[in-house]
């Protein structure tokens, strides 16, 4: 009797950034690499086939999602992105932007039929603006340069393909916090996946992460007391339990 196909997970973490002429233009994201490796390990223990990718350019990030269309998938597809960013955009290690609408388009049923009926789950650790939720940024995931884009943030939600859930580290317009120990958001995700909450339905699990970050986390140092409020959007048609082994 053949074994069921493993669910797949793609983890992309950018920690070092340069422009095309090799000048450093964004801060190094200390702490991001280690937490990405921990998340990859826990996903592997939860029976995911994990691809962990470090310091990928904008073009390479798009190519990684293109490649998922050629893979055999199990019950779920999970992707974690950790990088500098702004609203609707994450940055490659070459400081070039990747629009989230582009990633979602690559995984749409027209472009990627193999994922049409498979729940697609994203966790995105990146800034979505420059505002501070007064509640450290020892380091924040906002980057320069900031390319021009249309000011229609809601289009990012409209572009999410069917059977998809996306969770952001912070609310639109705000920074996402990171320090040498990791980020508020992904450290909380890691805690949840290591505990009994992993057995919850996805919407309940994400709500639990919202509560943990909002009430149990705050910045220290320069921005002492600042807070962070994750948020998520979903168009899943049924309850799913992606981390209940």
């Amino acid at each position: 009797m053949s074994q069921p196909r493993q669910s797949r997970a793609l983890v992309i973490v950018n920690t070092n950034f340069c422009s095309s002429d090799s000048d450093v233009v964004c801060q190094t994201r200390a702490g991001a690499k280690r937490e990405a490796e921990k998340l990859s390990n826990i996903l592997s223990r939860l029976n995911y086939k994990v691809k962990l990718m470090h310091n990928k350019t904008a073009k390479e990030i798009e190519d990684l999602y293109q490649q998922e269309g050629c893979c055999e998938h199990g019950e779920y597809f999970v992707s974690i992105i950790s990088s500098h960013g702004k609203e609707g955009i994450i940055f490659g290690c070459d400081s070039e932007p990747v629009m989230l609408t582009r990633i979602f388009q690559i995984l749409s049923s027209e472009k990627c039929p193999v994922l049409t009926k498979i729940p697609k789950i994203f966790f995105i650790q990146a800034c979505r603006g420059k505002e501070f939720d007064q509640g450290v940024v020892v380091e924040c995931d906002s980057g320069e340069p900031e390319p021009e884009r249309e000011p229609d943030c809601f289009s990012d939600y409209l572009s999410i393909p069917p059977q998809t859930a996306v969770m952001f580290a912070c609310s639109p317009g705000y920074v996402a916090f990171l320090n040498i120990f990791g980020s508020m958001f992904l450290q909380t995700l890691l805690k949840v996946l290591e505990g009994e909450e992993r057995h919850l339905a996805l919407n309940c699990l994400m709500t639990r992460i919202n509560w943990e970050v909002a009430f149990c986390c705050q910045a220290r140092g320069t921005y002492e007391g600042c807070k962070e409020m994750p948020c998520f959007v979903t168009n899943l048609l049924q309850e799913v339990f992606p981390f209940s082994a």
Side-chain angles (χ1 to χ4, degrees):
M1 192 171 175
S2 61
Q3 293 292 321
R5 295 172 181 170
Q6 274 186 295
S7 294
R8 291 180 59 83
L10 174 60
V11 181
I12 300 172
V13 54
N14 286 340
T15 54
N16 300 312
F17 297 80
C18 293
S19 62
S20 57
D21 58 3
S22 298
D23 293 328
V24 176
V25 294
C26 297
Q27 289 179 307
T28 299
R29 302 180 63 248
K33 178 181 178 181
R34 183 168 59 177
E35 75 178 3
E37 290 172 344
K38 289 181 178 179
L39 284 164
S40 297
N41 289 336
I42 187 64
L43 287 171
S44 294
R45 295 201 298 271
L46 295 175
N47 202 34
Y48 279 82
K49 186 174 183 179
V50 182
K51 181 186 287 186
L52 172 60
M53 308 303 293
H54 295 278
N55 293 320
K56 294 301 174 182
T57 66
K59 176 62 166 58
E60 289 171 336
I61 290 171
E62 289 192 14
D63 289 344
L64 285 168
Y65 286 103
Q66 296 276 12
Q67 291 165 18
E68 289 301 319
C70 303
C71 297
E72 292 188 344
H73 286 266
E75 194 172 358
Y76 302 102
F77 171 70
V78 171
S79 187
I80 299 172
I81 304 173
S82 178
S83 187
H84 285 302
K86 59 177 292 187
E87 180 58 43
I89 287 172
I90 56 100
F91 288 102
C93 67
D94 54 355
S95 300
E96 292 297 316
V98 180
M99 295 186 68
L100 293 177
T101 52
R102 173 59 179 157
I103 293 174
F104 299 147
Q105 180 187 47
I106 291 171
L107 298 180
S108 66
S109 56
E110 293 80 8
K111 302 286 186 180
C112 188
V114 70
L115 283 172
T116 298
K117 296 182 179 180
I118 294 174
K120 296 166 281 291
I121 304 159
F122 289 84
F123 297 93
I124 300 176
Q125 166 63 33
C127 284
R128 304 178 70 187
K130 294 185 176 181
E131 295 296 319
F132 292 93
D133 192 343
Q134 297 300 327
V136 22
V137 183
V138 173
E139 175 181 336
C140 74
D141 285 338
S142 178
E144 294 291 346
E146 293 194 347
E148 295 292 329
R149 79 180 294 263
E150 295 297 324
D152 57 341
C153 300
F154 194 63
S155 66
D156 296 331
Y157 299 104
L158 296 177
S159 69
I160 293 174
Q163 287 291 84
T164 301
V166 184
M167 188 168 198
F168 299 92
C170 56
S171 301
Y174 287 89
V175 300
F177 294 102
L178 176 75
N179 60 32
I180 59 173
F181 302 107
S183 63
M184 292 182 184
F185 176 57
L186 292 184
Q187 287 295 309
T188 303
L189 173 61
L190 182 65
K191 175 184 175 182
V192 167
L193 294 184
E194 289 177 331
E196 291 303 309
E197 293 99 331
R198 72 179 185 276
H199 298 298
L200 294 172
L202 182 64
N203 63 321
C204 295
L205 182 145
M206 288 180 164
T207 302
R208 178 65 184 178
I209 292 172
N210 278 357
W211 186 92
E212 285 277 349
V213 175
F215 286 96
C216 302
C217 300
Q218 69 177 30
R220 297 187 177 91
T222 306
Y223 299 100
E224 180 75 35
C226 283
K227 305 289 285 185
E228 185 173 296
M229 185 65 247
C231 58
F232 63 89
V233 58
T234 175
N235 60 18
L236 294 174
L237 302 176
Q238 69 281 334
E239 286 192 326
V240 297
F241 301 81
F243 307 114
S244 183

